[in-house]
Amino acid sequence: MIRDLFKETMWSLTGNKVRSGLTILGIVIGIASVITMVAIGQGAQNSINNSIQAIGSNLIIITPGAQRGTAVSAGRGSSQTLTIDDANAIKSQVPSIKGVAPEDSRRYQIIAKGTNTNTQVIGTVPDYATVRNVTIDSGTFITGQQVSGSSRVAVLGPSARDDLFGTGADPIGQSIRIKGVNFTVIGVTVSKGGTGFNNPDDSIYVPLSAAQHYLSGDTFVTTISVAAQDQNSMTAVQQQVTDLLLQRHKISDPTQADFSIMNQSDIIATASSITGTFTMLLSSIAGISLLVGGIGIMNMMLTTVTERTREIGLRKAVGIKKICINLQFLAEAVLLTFFGGAIGVVLGWGASLLVSHFINLTAQVSLSAVLLAFGVSAGVGIIFGFYPARRAAALSPIEALRYE
Amino acid sequence: MIECKNLVKTYKNGDVETTALKGVSFKIEKGEFVSIIGPSGSGKSTLMHILGALDSPTSGEYFLDGREVSKLNDDELSEMRKNKIGFVFQAFNLLPRATVLRNVMLPLLFTSTSPKEREARAREALKYAGMDENKFYNLSNQLSGGQMQRVAIARALINEPAIILADEPTGNLDTKTSHVVMEAFQELHKKGHTIILITHEPEIAAYAERVISVRDGVIEKDEKNKQSL
């Protein structure tokens, strides 16, 4: 009985290879496209989130305000109002802080062994690595001792290293000249990606004290970066920092503040709304593919069964029971959809891997997408393969045999 | 063997009622070869469907092998067709893309018969129906009309049915092949099978030993065929 069912099903499916093939193809395309689409969408979302995380997590950036005093404003960040003492005060008085990194960054001409380049030199403290997610590839980052001792040591970004010493060279122990002062290279950072003027890869890090003493010659800092403990404490930290600095700078009206504070969650919020739109777009494309695939499967199944009404009539006429005919068509539909579904999942997976390989994006195949695509296709295939066959099997054999 | 008592069949098509059979009664004994003849619209097809347990009469009684068929449900009718009746259709109705053997074995599907026994019985039935052994593995759509009808006859025989019902078996065949097929039916008759043949051609009906003429839903004539070969 079961063996007959299996044999008949296999015979039907292999008997008309074009028909079975087309049905399977419909299912495969439906499932594979949904899986790939969702995988790319999620990959893109992760990649955007990672880029934002690379700037540093839960970051608050404080920059000096505009220089006033004359009628002409020199623009934001031009005044010299922030000091190391401000940074130290934030560190000691504001709770829920992971790290505070004051910096004094300017662009200088750098010379090393006959080559030279113009890049950003960031004078800072060891906390900078934590606050801005800088990791060391070889050597060490700036230590507290080097900051207090104003040591003339430098840590290179990978692009700065490539420009000065050649791609992939080991510059540790070599010396570079910044503004005529010799600095010894003690480390190279891991590449973070990114381009433009504030490219973290094209930077040179030196101790803050050394930057102030040998390079800028003043006691001000250009930026203070503060990392909050976690996302939830960001607002509180930002408020406390603002209050503290207003109090320290003796300003009573917050609108007259001589500094400005930028919050990373603003960036994240913008980015989230972008990725949200992006996910919506991809989900709707995936939904449409699923719909189209579903209609294709439905169409194929309906034609197949209609085409075979006479065969169903014949089977009934020779005395095969309704239930056996129903079971056979159900088995055919189940087999087709599962076979097609399996190929579709493998193909979708493969396509996602291919996409990850060729464009710089880690596509992530999600189980829910696989289940959804498989479930919808299988559901459509089985319902539209089984239901018309059931109806045909319920017809009287004469009507079914006469069916054209 | 077969007994019909006052069979009536009414079809409803919307508001229009058509009575295809208006009270038909007859008996057919075991081993008889009977033709049911009549022009189209005479009700002979309806009669054949009822005799073949493909349809139920609106009223009246139909006994086949001592069982009343008119009161059975769908699955019981299937069982009846499987065990008691072998069909030969005008359009052959073979499974395309299936071998001759597979077609003949079709009625044995979902029964407890072993695959070996099925094939043995199919081979036997095919030889019995006069089918050439080297065509057993041909696909059914590669056969000639006469060969297809022989396969259909073998299929009808495989369950050793009580009656063989042939509905215009020569309708799709040329004259020469028609006579070959009819001779095959006469062979079966000589071997003791009960055969009911439905046709509208008097010369085909003439192969039977008894001819029942149907017209406008009633039996017009029921007579022994004296020239029966």
Side-chain angles (χ1 to χ4, degrees):
Chain A
M1 177 85 186
I2 303 269
R3 191 182 50 202
D4 274 355
L5 185 67
F6 184 72
K7 272 190 178 167
E8 280 297 291
T9 306
M10 286 318 288
W11 174 77
S12 270
L13 294 183
T14 51
N16 197 335
K17 293 198 178 63
V18 177
R19 189 176 65 198
S20 311
L22 282 175
T23 312
I24 290 175
L25 188 70
I27 298 168
V28 165
I29 291 175
I31 292 184
S33 59
V34 171
I35 291 176
T36 318
M37 211 76 82
V38 173
I40 292 174
Q42 293 199 329
Q45 208 168 350
N46 285 340
S47 138
I48 291 172
N49 284 340
N50 286 342
S51 308
I52 295 169
Q53 291 297 320
I55 305 170
S57 27
N58 309 322
L59 195 62
I60 294 164
I61 295 168
I62 308 151
T63 48
Q67 200 169 37
R68 279 180 212 278
T70 61
V72 181
S73 167
R76 269 171 200 273
S78 55
S79 67
Q80 298 179 317
T81 53
L82 294 175
T83 61
I84 296 176
D85 292 340
D86 285 334
N88 291 338
I90 292 169
K91 194 169 188 176
S92 56
Q93 291 176 39
V94 178
S96 312
I97 280 181
K98 204 162 70 181
V100 178
E103 59 180 277
D104 180 8
S105 347
R106 282 167 216 217
R107 296 187 77 85
Y108 297 106
Q109 202 69 23
I110 326 283
I111 304 162
K113 276 194 191 163
T115 54
N116 73 92
T117 182
N118 184 295
T119 190
Q120 175 164 257
V121 176
I122 302 167
T124 189
V125 297
D127 260 4
Y128 190 87
T130 331
V131 174
R132 290 295 192 110
N133 280 351
V134 173
T135 38
I136 285 294
D137 186 23
S138 63
T140 54
F141 196 69
I142 298 155
T143 61
Q145 230 173 353
Q146 287 161 341
V147 174
S148 49
S150 297
S151 307
R152 284 173 291 158
V153 292
V155 174
L156 307 185
S159 306
R161 184 262 323 263
D162 293 350
D163 291 344
L164 291 169
F165 294 98
T167 308
D170 178 18
I172 293 173
Q174 312 259 24
S175 79
I176 54 172
R177 284 171 80 80
I178 308 170
K179 209 183 167 193
V181 183
N182 277 322
F183 282 78
T184 310
V185 177
I186 57 162
V188 178
T189 65
V190 172
S191 170
K192 294 173 78 170
T195 46
F197 279 113
N198 285 319
N199 182 358
D201 289 351
D202 189 21
S203 295
I204 292 173
Y205 307 94
V206 299
L208 178 60
S209 48
Q212 289 180 329
H213 190 266
Y214 299 109
L215 306 177
S216 65
D218 58 36
T219 56
F220 297 103
V221 297
T222 51
T223 311
I224 299 173
S225 308
V226 178
Q229 219 43 282
D230 50 53
Q231 187 120 32
N232 298 331
S233 52
M234 295 266 293
T235 326
V237 169
Q238 188 171 356
Q239 191 52 51
Q240 283 162 343
V241 167
T242 312
D243 292 346
L244 180 69
L245 289 179
L246 286 174
Q247 182 205 329
R248 283 179 58 83
H249 295 186
K250 297 184 176 61
I251 300 165
S252 52
D253 180 5
T255 57
Q256 294 293 312
D258 58 355
F259 57 90
S260 57
I261 294 188
M262 204 175 65
N263 183 336
Q264 196 198 12
S265 53
D266 298 341
I267 311 173
I268 290 179
T270 313
S272 307
S273 85
I274 295 170
T275 52
T277 315
F278 196 65
T279 310
M280 281 271 286
L281 172 77
L282 279 162
S283 305
S284 21
I285 295 175
I288 291 169
S289 344
L290 203 57
L291 186 75
V292 172
I295 291 173
I297 298 166
M298 183 177 93
N299 202 354
M300 212 57 216
M301 285 295 186
L302 282 177
T303 355
T304 303
V305 175
T306 317
E307 214 178 73
R308 291 172 68 188
T309 303
R310 279 168 64 99
E311 184 192 323
I312 293 173
L314 172 68
R315 283 170 188 272
K316 273 205 92 176
V318 300
I320 296 176
K321 284 205 182 94
K322 212 158 51 178
I323 175 116
C324 298
I325 297 172
N326 285 343
L327 276 176
Q328 186 193 329
F329 274 80
L330 183 64
E332 283 182 27
V334 168
L335 217 70
L336 273 183
T337 46
F338 275 68
F339 193 59
I343 298 178
V345 169
V346 170
L347 212 73
W349 209 300
S352 310
L353 286 180
L354 222 66
V355 166
S356 309
H357 187 74
F358 282 111
I359 59 179
N360 193 13
L361 192 150
T362 315
Q364 284 190 330
V365 177
S366 74
L367 185 68
S368 54
V370 172
L371 290 180
L372 179 79
F374 198 91
V376 170
S377 314
V380 170
I382 290 169
I383 289 168
F384 288 97
F386 177 60
Y387 175 70
R390 211 182 84 104
R391 240 184 19 193
L395 284 179
S396 97
I398 326 155
E399 279 175 73
L401 273 174
R402 276 207 209 112
Y403 196 91
E404 290 300 329
Chain B
M1 158 128 307
I2 283 181
E3 187 173 3
C4 299
K5 285 185 191 162
N6 206 19
L7 289 179
V8 174
K9 179 73 184 178
T10 312
Y11 291 108
K12 254 192 191 161
N13 197 351
D15 292 339
V16 189
E17 271 197 9
T18 344
T19 309
L21 290 180
K22 302 170 182 164
V24 174
S25 307
F26 60 85
K27 274 187 184 180
I28 294 173
E29 297 304 328
K30 192 172 161 53
E32 271 195 279
F33 184 3
V34 182
S35 290
I36 296 177
I37 189 169
S40 58
S42 60
K44 65 177 191 306
S45 288
T46 310
L47 186 57
M48 181 257 167
H49 292 151
I50 292 170
L51 292 179
L54 294 166
D55 208 349
S56 305
T58 314
S59 70
E61 289 167 316
Y62 166 38
F63 294 92
L64 171 57
D65 238 10
R67 281 194 71 185
E68 179 159 13
V69 181
S70 38
K71 303 278 186 293
L72 300 179
N73 69 22
D74 197 83
D75 279 346
E76 288 165 333
L77 285 175
S78 284
E79 203 60 37
M80 206 70 194
R81 290 195 293 270
K82 179 185 287 190
N83 297 325
K84 304 279 184 197
I85 302 160
F87 287 99
V88 179
F89 299 99
Q90 174 177 4
F92 319 129
N93 283 325
L94 300 179
L95 291 178
R97 294 183 299 272
T99 62
V100 165
L101 272 176
R102 194 182 180 95
N103 264 292
V104 176
M105 288 189 285
L106 185 70
L108 296 180
L109 273 179
F110 305 108
T111 63
S112 51
T113 336
S114 75
K116 241 188 195 159
E117 198 193 330
R118 288 182 194 181
E119 189 170 333
R121 276 168 69 176
R123 284 176 178 278
E124 202 186 329
L126 279 162
K127 278 183 222 157
Y128 201 85
M131 191 68 193
D132 199 352
E133 201 162 347
N134 59 26
K135 292 237 157 51
F136 283 9
Y137 289 98
N138 282 21
L139 295 184
S140 64
N141 41 354
Q142 295 167 344
L143 300 176
S144 71
Q147 286 168 336
M148 284 202 220
Q149 208 51 303
R150 280 180 196 277
V151 174
I153 292 170
R155 184 180 62 196
L157 287 171
I158 195 159
N159 267 330
E160 290 157 6
I163 55 168
I164 294 171
L165 261 183
D167 184 13
E168 302 268 13
T170 58
N172 284 8
L173 301 174
D174 59 48
T175 317
K176 197 180 152 218
T177 325
S178 295
H179 288 294
V180 175
V181 167
M182 286 319 297
E183 275 154 26
F185 276 111
Q186 277 195 323
E187 280 297 305
L188 293 179
H189 168 55
K190 276 179 196 154
K191 286 170 182 165
H193 292 272
T194 313
I195 300 167
I196 301 173
L197 172 77
I198 285 91
T199 182
H200 65 274
E201 290 177 80
E203 35 178 320
I204 296 298
Y207 278 91
E209 51 173 10
R210 176 179 165 196
V211 178
I212 299 176
S213 304
V214 184
R215 185 177 284 271
D216 298 329
V218 290
I219 294 181
E220 197 183 42
K221 262 192 287 184
D222 182 352
E223 54 187 12
K224 289 277 176 210
N225 182 2
K226 285 165 199 101
Q227 315 113 29
S228 172
L229 304 165

